[in-house]
């Protein structure tokens, strides 16, 4: 079962640094992420989701490939690729994987204008390595899927990690 963590930061740049750090930790096999998204509340109040994976792009590429293959059967590979790409893009845009976009937008509405949050959907993590690596960026835990006791333990571990880096 995966756990959700939403952490607020004062600006988009810090949130993006946290995402890059988490991706680096994943490459080191210290954390296994199912999804990671940066949610930005712009100065004008609009919410922007910075997804790690574009389902629209992946759907378009897959659709174009299969459309081209099917188009070869009918001697129209370019038409098949075009139709397949458009269909794949539409299906990809309608697909929502990982953290629910509507939920992230709702949480994003509570952010101060100009700030951002990182949503991490974590399958597993080596907490004694991951918490200090991410705690150095500061941030405020907005929401988790942990129990109350586990969340308090996490907050204590973050405070301890921030205290040792100061």
């Amino acid at each position: 079962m995966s756990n959700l963590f939403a952490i607020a930061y004062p600006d988009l740049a810090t949130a993006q640094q946290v995402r890059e750090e988490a991706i680096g930790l994943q490459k080191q096999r210290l954390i296994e992420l199912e999804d990671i998204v940066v949610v930005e509340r712009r100065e004008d109040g609009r919410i922007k989701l910075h997804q790690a994976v574009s389902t629209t792009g992946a759907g378009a590429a897959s659709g174009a490939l299969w459309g081209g293959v099917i188009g070869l059967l009918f001697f129209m590979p370019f038409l098949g690729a075009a139709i397949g790409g458009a269909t794949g893009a539409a299906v990809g845009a309608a697909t929502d994987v990982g953290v629910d976009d509507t939920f992230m937008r709702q949480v994003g509405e509570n952010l101060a204008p100009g700030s951002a949050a990182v949503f991490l959907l974590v399958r597993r993590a080596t907490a004694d390595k991951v918490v200090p690596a991410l705690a150095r960026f500061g941030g405020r835990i907005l929401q988790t899927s942990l129990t109350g006791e586990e969340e308090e333990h996490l907050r204590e571990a973050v405070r301890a990690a921030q205290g040792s880096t100061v």
Side-chain angles (χ1 to χ4, degrees), residues 66-98:
W66 285 107
V69 170
I70 293 169
L72 281 173
L73 297 173
F74 298 102
F75 303 106
M76 296 184 191
F78 295 116
L79 180 61
I83 292 170
T87 303
V91 170
T95 303
D96 186 17
V97 295

Side-chain angles (χ1 to χ4, degrees), residues 3 27 30 38 48 58 61-62 81 83 89-90 97-98 100 104-105 110 117 121 132 139 143 156 159:
N3 286 309
K27 288 177 183 173
L30 296 173
V38 173
K48 169 82 172 138
S62 175
I83 292 170
V97 295
D100 181 59
M104 289 187 291
R105 288 182 189 284
N110 296 320
L121 193 56
Q143 191 159 350
E156 289 172 11
R159 282 192 289 274

Side-chain angles (χ1 to χ4, degrees), residues 33-52:
L33 298 169
E34 192 171 319
D35 195 11
I36 185 166
V37 179
V38 173
V39 177
E40 171 190 12
R41 181 154 188 207
R42 295 187 171 163
E43 292 294 340
D44 62 6
R46 292 186 318 161
I47 305 298
K48 169 82 172 138
L49 303 181
H50 300 271
Q51 303 275 1

Side-chain angles (χ1 to χ4, degrees), residues 2 5 15 21 36 78 83 117 144:
S2 298
F5 301 91
E21 181 72 16
I36 185 166
F78 295 116
I83 292 170
T144 74

Side-chain angles (χ1 to χ4, degrees), residues 8 13 29 35-36 55 65 67 69 74 77 83 89 92 99 103-104 107 110 116-118 125-126 134-135 140 159:
R29 305 231 183 260
D35 195 11
I36 185 166
T55 55
L65 174 70
V69 170
F74 298 102
I83 292 170
V99 184
F103 169 72
M104 289 187 291
V107 173
N110 296 320
V118 177
T126 308
L134 298 182
R140 181 175 48 90
R159 282 192 289 274

